[in-house]
């Protein structure tokens, strides 16, 4: 089936576009833009992680390392070399992809919990390294010179540019996620997820398939990192390599439904709305990670296939629409 | 060299493999001519599955060579072996549980020997599913199949690769007599399409009617080889099975 003939693709795109145009229609545009940016960023991170976690079945706990690394590389280019935003974004994605390629060869031999632990170790090691890396500002990090925003028509204009870029990038990621899922490459990944040994016997070249899945799932977080820290104006090791954010991304994938294209989009939207509500409550503000943990437990126990998986099994007719 | 027999499709040359102190295969040597069905029998733990694993690269043999279509494939990774046109089924079925039956078989067609793009793989998968009698279950998740259906799926996935050589590991085990008869028909039909078959069975009588030739393994040793009749009457073979009176009896019944 041609991809554009698949209603599943259109549903995912419609949802992503709806989140993106919402600020243009809202009365408080600046505020809504920030909320929408946060959701889009979550969608982008979750959909990227889903290529590895959902399609390939490898749980990467420290996936945020690619967001941090890409963010740092892009930020450095923006700050020190006055690079245009798009160059910084591409460089950030490239850097993360390259790191994943080099790491992947080594750690993708590990399976299950060993792989998950290794990814946490890598994130912590990256944070420690950057803390001592003077070129990137060491423990203090870097701050953008205000003049950088001038070339984008001032800080306010720059915020809109960051937002629109984020929306476009998220759209690209959801399309890529769909194309991967419906391709031969994606079928190979899912075969690996279901039974790696059997997949190899069938002819799936697991080592290289896994590596490319890992690279793909790392490139986009790298680009997202650049956009976020450009908007943020400064970058520091704790923000770039925040394990909490990594775990929240896993929760969003699981909540929506791992291994589906729509799942991470829906899961991110639901989780971010929930988080927004909890953050205003003083009671929940300090325990939001605990809430995420409990939520993850509930999903795994009662809805292991997530919202999309549940809908698919409950309403057979929806299968054609929910990819 | 005209007039000589054609090179066998598979040559097993002095293959040995041990696990710790256990000699699972010692010096196994045989040729498999193209177009034949070769039965491999032997009591439980004789090393039959281990031999398959050495052939398709699950692990390399410690000694000896595996020559497939004139090429030494000893120690190649399973995915590389698969691409040369050798497919296998597993004694313990290995369905891709959360994928549909159709997706399982498409994967077999698109990653195996002929490496088809998805659209063509889908056509092949449809044909193969009809051939093994699983067509009406094509949209079910593989996890939902019963044992007999899972065995068929295992076979369909291997067949979809359109291999030159098919290794079948106890595809008849756990089936009832009707299912066995159906499966035996399927195996014969595969051979009639020109595929060479090496088939493992734990008990002998099931293989008597399909095999052109039979090899008997016992404790990793090749104790007999010949036509099904010759092997069934070989005292060494009967002795090997004597530890298991029930099996010995089944062998006699098969005559
Ligand atoms: N991976 C392994 N590690 C250790 N021992 C094994 C392994 N695989 C098989 N064996 C042993 O090797 C012997 C042959 O096993 P196998 O080839 O499965 O026998 P068969 O298929 O003829 O029943 C058995 O004693 C079995 O326990
Ligand atoms: Mg066996």
């Amino acid at each position: 089936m041609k991809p554009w003939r698949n209603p599943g693709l259109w549903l995912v795109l419609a949802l992503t576009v709806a989140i993106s145009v919402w600020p243009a229609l809202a009365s408080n545009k600046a505020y809504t833009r920030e909320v929408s940016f946060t959701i889009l960023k979550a969608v982008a991170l979750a959909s990227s992680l889903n290529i590895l976690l959902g399609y390939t079945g490898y749980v990467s706990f420290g996936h945020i390392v690619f967001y941090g690394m890409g963010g740092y590389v892009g930020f450095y280019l923006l700050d020190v070399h006055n690079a245009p935003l798009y160059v910084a974004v591409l460089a950030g994605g490239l850097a993360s992809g390259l790191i994943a390629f080099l790491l992947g060869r080594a750690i993708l031999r590990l399976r299950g919990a060993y792989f998950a632990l290794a990814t946490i170790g890598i994130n912590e090691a990256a944070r420690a390294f950057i803390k001592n890396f003077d070129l990137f500002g060491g423990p203090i990090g870097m701050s953008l010179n205000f003049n950088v925003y001038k070339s984008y028509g001032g800080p306010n204009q720059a915020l809109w540019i960051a937002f629109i870029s984020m929306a476009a990038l998220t759209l690209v990621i959801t399309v890529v996620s769909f194309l991967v899922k419906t391709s031969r490459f994606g079928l190979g990944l899912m075969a690996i997820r279901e039974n790696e040994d059997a997949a190899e016997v069938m002819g799936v070249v697991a080592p290289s398939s896994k590596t490319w899945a890992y690279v793909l799932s790392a490139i986009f977080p790298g680009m997202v990192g650049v956009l976020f820290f450009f908007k943020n104006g400064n970058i520091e090791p704790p923000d770039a390599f925040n394990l909490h954010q990594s775990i929240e991304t896993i929760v969003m994938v699981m909540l929506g439904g791992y291994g589906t294209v729509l799942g991470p989009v829906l899961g991110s939207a639901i989780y971010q709305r929930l988080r927004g509500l909890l953050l205003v409550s003083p009671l929940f503000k300090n325990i939001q990670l605990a809430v995420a943990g409990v939520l993850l437990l509930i999903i795994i126990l009662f809805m292991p296939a997530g919202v999309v998986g549940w809908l698919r099994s409950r309403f057979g007719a929806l299968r054609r629409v929910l990819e | 060299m005209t007039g000589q027999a054609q090179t066998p499709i598979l040559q097993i040359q002095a293959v040995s493999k041990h696990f710790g102190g256990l000699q699972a295969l010692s010096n196994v040597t045989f040729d498999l001519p193209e177009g034949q069905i070769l039965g491999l029998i032997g009591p439980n733990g004789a090393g039959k599955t281990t031999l398959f694993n050495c052939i398709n690269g699950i692990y390399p043999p410690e000694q000896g060579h595996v020559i497939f279509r004139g090429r030494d494939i000893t120690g190649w990774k399973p995915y590389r072996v698969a691409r040369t046109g050798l497919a296998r089924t597993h004694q313990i079925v290995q369905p891709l549980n959360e994928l549909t039956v159709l997706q399982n078989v498409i994967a077999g067609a698109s990653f195996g020997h002929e490496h088809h793009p998805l659209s063509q793989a889908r056509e092949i998968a449809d044909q193969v599913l009809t051939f093994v009698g699983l067509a009406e279950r094509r949209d079910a998740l593989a996890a939902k199949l019963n044992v007999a259906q899972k065995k068929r799926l295992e076979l369909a996935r291997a067949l979809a690769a359109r291999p030159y050589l098919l290794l079948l590991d106890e595809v008849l085990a756990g089936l009832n007599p009707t299912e066995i008869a159906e499966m035996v028909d399927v195996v014969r039909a595969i051979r009639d399409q020109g595929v060479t078959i090496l088939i493992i069975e734990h008990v002998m009588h099931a293989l008597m009617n399909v095999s052109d030739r039979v090899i008997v393994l016992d404790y990793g040793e090749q104790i007999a080889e010949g036509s099904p009749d010759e092997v069934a009457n070989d005292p060494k073979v009967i002795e090997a099975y004597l530890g298991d009176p029930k099996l010995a009896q089944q062998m006699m019944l098969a005559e």
Side-chain angles (χ1 to χ4, degrees):
Chain A
M1 185 155 65
K2 296 276 177 282
W4 58 88
R5 289 265 205 68
N6 190 322
L9 174 62
W10 291 109
L11 186 63
V12 179
L13 290 183
L15 195 58
T16 312
V17 169
I19 299 168
S20 308
V21 300
W22 173 37
L25 309 172
S27 51
N28 189 344
K29 291 191 167 43
Y31 169 75
T32 324
R33 182 195 62 213
E34 292 313 298
V35 177
S36 173
F37 186 96
T38 306
I39 299 176
L40 288 170
K41 176 181 143 187
V43 169
L45 291 178
S47 292
S48 307
L49 177 65
N50 187 44
I51 294 176
L52 188 69
L53 167 69
Y55 298 164
T56 322
Y58 274 70
V59 184
S60 176
F61 259 93
H63 216 62
I64 207 71
V65 72
F66 298 116
Y67 165 86
M69 277 298 186
Y72 257 105
V73 168
F75 202 94
Y76 171 78
L77 292 176
L78 287 168
D79 190 40
V80 179
H81 294 285
N82 258 316
L85 183 59
Y86 76 92
V87 171
V89 167
L90 290 178
L94 212 63
S96 289
L98 194 65
I99 294 168
F101 182 78
L102 297 174
L103 280 177
R105 293 265 139 188
I107 66 168
L108 286 165
R109 293 162 197 266
L110 304 172
R111 292 199 188 173
Y114 297 102
F115 175 80
L117 284 172
T119 62
I120 296 179
I122 285 164
N123 186 56
E124 298 310 296
R127 192 207 335 247
F129 171 76
I130 295 294
K131 256 189 183 162
N132 293 293
F133 191 55
D134 290 335
L135 189 66
F136 285 175
I140 305 154
M142 297 179 277
S143 291
L144 270 190
N145 188 326
F146 229 63
N147 284 331
V148 169
Y149 290 135
K150 276 218 181 100
S151 45
Y152 298 95
N156 190 46
Q157 196 66 21
L159 289 179
W160 278 106
I161 288 173
F163 171 74
I164 292 165
S165 310
M166 189 69 221
L169 181 59
T170 306
L171 214 57
V172 170
I173 294 171
T174 49
V175 172
V176 168
S177 168
F178 176 86
L179 292 177
V180 168
K181 167 114 199 242
T182 50
S183 67
R184 171 159 67 187
F185 171 57
L187 183 60
L189 297 182
M190 290 187 284
I192 290 171
R193 177 189 73 202
E194 293 303 317
N195 188 331
E196 189 164 342
D197 294 326
E200 289 200 338
V201 168
M202 289 156 69
V204 177
V205 186
S208 73
S209 294
K210 286 189 293 185
T211 302
W212 288 118
Y214 196 45
V215 168
L216 206 53
S217 77
I219 288 176
F220 295 116
M223 300 168 89
V224 170
V226 180
L227 284 178
F228 177 80
F229 289 108
F230 166 76
K231 184 179 86 83
N232 201 40
N234 79 312
I235 184 166
E236 294 170 30
D239 296 339
F241 305 100
N242 185 350
L243 207 55
H244 291 187
Q245 213 181 328
S246 224
I247 293 167
E248 285 185 313
T249 310
I250 295 177
V251 175
M252 291 184 275
V253 173
M254 296 304 293
L255 174 63
Y258 75 97
T260 65
V261 185
L262 181 62
V265 182
L266 210 56
S268 304
I270 298 170
Y271 183 83
Q272 290 301 331
R273 286 310 286 157
L274 199 67
R275 191 168 177 274
L277 296 177
L278 293 181
L279 275 183
V280 277
S281 142
L283 176 64
F284 283 115
K285 200 170 169 177
N286 295 320
I287 57 161
Q288 48 156 309
L289 198 69
V291 173
V294 171
L295 187 60
L296 186 57
L297 204 65
I298 293 172
I299 298 163
I300 290 171
L301 285 177
F302 300 108
M303 215 172 51
V307 173
V308 172
W310 182 80
L311 287 173
R312 279 176 66 107
S313 65
R314 194 67 208 282
F315 308 100
L318 287 178
R319 279 193 193 181
R320 279 174 41 79
V321 196
L322 304 179
E323 235 348 296
Chain B
M1 297 288 269
T2 47
Q4 290 252 331
Q6 171 186 21
T7 327
I9 190 166
L10 181 72
Q11 295 164 275
I12 304 298
Q13 300 175 342
V15 164
S16 298
K17 170 86 193 165
H18 68 81
F19 298 109
L22 179 93
Q23 195 67 37
L25 293 173
S26 16
N27 240 353
V28 175
T29 302
F30 62 84
D31 286 350
L32 173 50
E34 197 163 345
Q36 284 200 2
I37 298 182
L38 175 62
L40 188 61
I41 63 162
N44 250 328
K48 305 181 296 292
T49 300
T50 303
L51 179 62
F52 273 19
N53 289 344
C54 288
I55 294 175
N56 93 308
I58 303 292
Y59 34 68
E62 276 123 24
Q63 279 164 36
H65 292 275
V66 178
I67 316 284
F68 178 56
R69 303 184 78 230
R71 246 196 305 187
D72 190 340
I73 61 163
T74 318
W76 285 19
K77 293 280 180 201
Y79 42 80
R80 216 176 143 203
V81 174
R83 291 292 291 276
T84 62
L86 194 160
R88 76 170 281 185
T89 68
H90 299 90
Q91 178 175 2
I92 299 161
V93 291
Q94 312 273 330
L96 307 174
N97 276 322
E98 295 299 313
L99 300 184
T100 64
V101 167
L102 182 63
Q103 281 177 309
N104 268 266
V105 184
I106 289 177
S110 69
F111 292 102
H113 163 226
E114 291 184 349
H115 214 68
H116 289 286
L118 284 184
S119 54
Q120 274 156 273
R122 203 200 144 97
E123 282 173 29
I124 294 171
D126 274 329
Q127 290 165 14
V128 172
L129 282 172
T130 307
F131 177 73
V132 302
L134 264 185
E136 74 280 11
R137 301 289 280 150
R138 68 156 66 85
D139 294 322
L141 290 183
K144 297 274 195 276
L145 299 183
N146 65 34
V147 178
Q149 289 169 334
K150 280 181 181 164
K151 295 239 165 191
R152 279 163 190 266
L153 175 60
E154 192 79 19
L155 181 61
R157 210 167 59 187
L159 264 186
R162 301 242 177 104
Y164 300 114
L165 173 63
L166 187 58
L167 310 183
L168 301 177
D169 195 348
E170 303 209 14
V171 283
L172 304 175
L175 302 185
N176 67 38
T178 328
E179 290 164 346
I180 288 182
E182 287 170 0
M183 195 61 127
V184 165
D185 284 343
V186 170
V187 170
R188 273 215 200 84
I190 294 168
R191 194 263 312 269
D192 292 344
Q193 291 176 357
V195 180
T196 311
I197 295 172
L198 178 55
I199 180 168
I200 288 179
E201 229 23 84
H202 170 54
V203 294
M204 192 166 174
H205 71 271
L207 276 193
M208 292 299 282
N209 305 321
V210 277
S211 307
D212 297 302
R213 223 155 45 96
V214 175
I215 286 176
V216 187
L217 279 186
D218 189 29
Y219 293 110
E221 307 261 1
Q222 218 171 317
I223 59 165
E225 179 175 355
S227 73
D229 269 347
E230 285 162 8
V231 165
N233 295 310
D234 189 323
K236 267 188 293 182
V237 178
I238 296 168
E239 195 188 310
Y241 275 97
L242 275 184
D244 192 339
K246 194 169 143 251
L247 284 177
Q249 192 196 8
Q250 278 174 332
M251 272 189 43
M252 301 310 164
L253 282 178
E255 288 173 47

